[in-house]
Amino acid sequence: MSQTAKSQPIIQMRGVTKRFGNFAALRQIDLDIEAGEVVVLLGPSGSGKSTLIRCINLLETYDEGDVVVDGIRVEEGRALRQVREEVGMVFQAFNLFPNLTVLDNIALGPVRVRKLSWAAAREKARRLLARVGIAEQADKYPIQLSGGQQQRVGIARALAMEPRVLLFDEPTSALDPEMVGEVLDVIKGLAGSGTTMLLVTHEMGFARKVADRIVFMEAGEIKEIASPDTFFTRPESERAQAFLDAVLNH
Amino acid sequence: MDIVSTFFNIDVLVRSMPLLLEGLWRTIALGFLSIVLGLIGGLVLALGRMYAPKPIRLLVIAYVDVFRALPVLVWLVIVYYALPFVGISLSPFASAATALTMISSAYTAEIYRAGIDAIPRGQFEAGQAIGLSTFDLMRDVVLPQAIRIVIPPLTNNSINVMKDTALASVVAMPDLLKQATQAQALAANPTPLIGAAILYLILLLPLVRLVAVFERRLGRSGRR
């Protein structure tokens, strides 16, 4: 590794390649994320953004290269659970457990993985629900909640594990427009709390406000990495300019 | 002789009732044991088929295929009449329970597998993302959801197992059917057979209705 000095990046990707049959979803991805950073991945659909963040907790396997989280190589085996304990994820489709109450959706991880008692884990879950603004929904089942509320439960569930890294895979794409704001507000509140965050989103205004860095992807490659101001005002690559023209001028 | 005194002879029915009830009790015991063991065996097989290393997985597939293809009666006769030649002698009850359990396990394994397959991928991913072990993921997330899907087909299978217990009369187990044929011989009248048929119906008709109720309820709850 070239940089042995000072703090090691919490996430390091080196030459990561992922193929689906003949189609290369990721090509030779190199990316370092510093602890505490908020990084937003942008790019047209099918550019590999979701695949990239799913490689970080191995929901997607990769064919070449290395993904290292906090010094642990991400691969099948004993260390994988350790990685997943440190990396939380919020899904586009929420993926709440319909057979559990809202409270137990959040408490399950701490009980089974962190070995908390149910009482302690539920107590913690109540605090997290208050933090995402839906304390009164604790005893309902996910299906009884609106989409925005469900996604806030999804965020609380990820937070309950006290992860060092949070991955957001298009967290507002499945929401009705009037619910997008409430979820983005919660996410904004988490940024700067010290948790490293990687977000895939199509919300440009939000990306610009919340990101420390923008990573622009296309066709499975990283085309540009820039600060939000630079990226949105004078992107270096033509591809990024074309992308911005398409999404901002409609 | 008229129809009533031939097939519905109350006098004969009352006299043979103790014999029939004794048989009914054995039928229920055999059916219940085979159903419960089949449900457990099937779950083990289903999980083995989905998550075990490849060689075991292939063995499970072979087992499930063979025992779904083999007629129950053939396997029952082999267990009772052929296994003694290799030193395994089982009582009629044990033979019947073994044969029925082994075949029921193969069917329930397929039912469980279909139920687990029906759970969306996102449920597995959400569980994995918070670091759940495969065991916890199954116990807390996947199986509680799959159970709701598989209850109607599992009840159907249980009805089949209960009906197949009648085959045990072939290996001289005094189940309901066997007792009825015995009573028929003693009384020289077929009423006990009709009595046995009615007892089978009393036992199984409610279960058949229950499947319909389950299916309606599952259809109405409209899973996402």
Side-chain angles (χ1 to χ4, degrees):
Chain A
M1 222 94 324
S2 55
Q3 13 151 218
T4 44
K6 54 175 181 137
S7 69
Q8 203 186 0
I10 190 158
I11 298 169
Q12 300 175 63
M13 302 182 93
R14 288 285 176 280
V16 176
T17 296
K18 163 76 182 177
R19 292 185 204 89
F20 294 108
N22 286 329
F23 172 72
L26 297 176
R27 304 160 193 256
Q28 296 291 320
I29 297 291
D30 294 315
L31 182 63
D32 283 348
I33 311 281
E34 302 296 329
E37 239 191 325
V38 177
V39 174
V40 172
L41 283 80
L42 298 178
S45 35
S47 58
K49 311 178 296 288
S50 288
T51 308
L52 188 154
I53 67 167
R54 287 163 58 84
C55 284
I56 294 170
N57 62 355
L58 210 66
L59 288 186
E60 213 72 76
T61 56
Y62 48 97
D63 300 307
E64 286 169 30
D66 299 289
V67 178
V68 177
V69 173
D70 206 12
I72 306 166
R73 185 172 191 273
V74 180
E75 58 196 338
E76 248 359 293
R78 283 173 184 280
L80 180 58
R81 265 190 91 178
Q82 220 174 318
V83 170
R84 286 177 171 166
E85 284 175 35
E86 288 195 33
V87 179
M89 189 163 205
V90 176
F91 298 87
Q92 177 176 358
F94 324 138
N95 296 351
L96 299 182
F97 307 130
N99 56 311
L100 299 177
T101 62
V102 162
L103 202 61
D104 287 353
N105 260 275
I106 301 166
L108 182 65
V111 169
R112 297 295 184 224
V113 182
R114 300 274 190 232
K115 307 299 175 197
L116 261 61
S117 70
W118 275 107
R122 286 184 177 134
E123 185 53 44
K124 180 180 199 173
R126 283 191 196 282
R127 282 200 303 276
L128 286 166
L129 277 177
R131 186 164 158 200
V132 298
I134 43 172
E136 70 286 356
Q137 311 290 348
D139 299 315
K140 292 190 181 165
Y141 283 86
I143 199 166
Q144 298 171 280
L145 270 53
S146 73
Q149 291 170 331
Q150 288 193 46
Q151 192 58 297
R152 287 191 272 170
V153 176
I155 294 170
R157 178 175 67 180
L159 288 175
M161 295 297 293
E162 298 176 16
R164 298 195 58 198
V165 177
L166 264 177
L167 309 173
F168 294 84
D169 190 1
E170 304 201 22
T172 59
S173 297
L175 295 175
D176 292 335
E178 74 270 21
M179 292 170 183
V180 170
E182 66 186 65
V183 171
L184 293 184
D185 283 344
V186 170
I187 299 173
K188 218 178 294 172
L190 301 174
S193 66
T195 308
T196 311
M197 291 170 45
L198 260 84
L199 289 115
V200 175
T201 183
H202 295 290
E203 301 290 333
M204 295 300 145
F206 172 74
R208 185 168 184 174
K209 254 179 271 167
V210 82
D212 295 319
R213 280 194 296 166
I214 301 282
V215 172
F216 176 73
M217 292 184 70
E218 193 187 61
E221 292 177 336
I222 293 178
K223 299 284 188 195
E224 184 164 347
I225 300 179
S227 74
D229 281 340
T230 308
F231 182 81
F232 282 102
T233 52
R234 38 190 194 323
E236 276 174 25
S237 65
E238 268 175 47
R239 304 302 313 165
Q241 185 62 61
F243 171 77
L244 286 174
D245 287 345
V247 296
L248 297 178
N249 304 324
H250 54 210
Chain B
M1 260 201 178
D2 63 318
I3 297 257
V4 170
S5 65
T6 305
F7 291 106
F8 302 99
N9 190 315
I10 298 297
D11 194 39
V12 172
L13 187 64
V14 169
R15 270 189 286 124
S16 59
M17 207 29 110
L19 211 56
L20 292 184
L21 288 179
E22 208 182 300
L24 175 66
W25 172 240
R26 274 194 211 96
T27 286
I28 291 173
L30 174 62
F32 188 74
L33 183 68
S34 305
I35 288 167
V36 170
L37 292 179
L39 289 173
I40 298 167
L43 183 58
V44 172
L45 288 173
L47 293 175
R49 177 162 187 174
M50 299 176 94
Y51 300 109
K54 190 120 192 220
I56 296 177
R57 212 150 57 195
L58 292 177
L59 274 177
V60 172
I61 291 173
Y63 177 97
V64 168
D65 285 358
V66 166
F67 281 98
R68 286 197 305 161
L70 206 57
V72 183
L73 185 54
V74 171
W75 184 237
L76 175 60
V77 167
I78 288 175
V79 169
Y80 186 68
Y81 290 106
L83 288 190
F85 286 90
V86 291
I88 304 171
S89 269
L90 298 175
S91 70
F93 185 89
S95 300
T98 303
L100 289 172
T101 297
M102 289 178 77
I103 287 174
S104 173
S105 296
Y107 280 99
T108 53
E110 283 300 281
I111 294 170
Y112 284 123
R113 192 170 67 93
I116 293 170
D117 273 349
I119 304 302
R121 243 178 88 90
Q123 292 291 305
F124 291 84
E125 291 185 349
Q128 287 162 351
I130 55 176
L132 293 183
S133 65
T134 304
F135 178 83
D136 289 334
L137 180 63
M138 281 291 143
R139 178 187 54 186
D140 296 322
V141 177
V142 176
L143 291 182
Q145 295 180 60
I147 285 294
R148 298 190 42 214
I149 301 170
V150 300
I151 277 179
L154 282 183
T155 312
N156 251 331
N157 182 66
S158 300
I159 291 168
N160 284 334
V161 173
M162 198 53 97
K163 290 200 292 191
D164 286 344
T165 57
L167 296 170
S169 56
V170 172
V171 295
M173 197 192 105
D175 75 325
L176 178 53
L177 179 60
K178 186 78 183 171
Q179 297 288 77
T181 50
Q182 214 112 65
Q184 178 218 15
L186 282 173
N189 179 292
T191 299
L193 292 177
I194 304 297
I198 290 169
L199 287 177
Y200 276 115
L201 288 179
I202 291 174
L203 183 61
L204 290 169
L205 267 182
L207 283 177
V208 172
R209 275 322 309 160
L210 199 62
V211 174
V213 171
F214 283 148
E215 277 169 349
R216 212 172 35 242
R217 190 173 301 168
L218 200 68
R220 205 176 36 225
S221 75
R223 297 175 35 81
R224 289 170 306 143

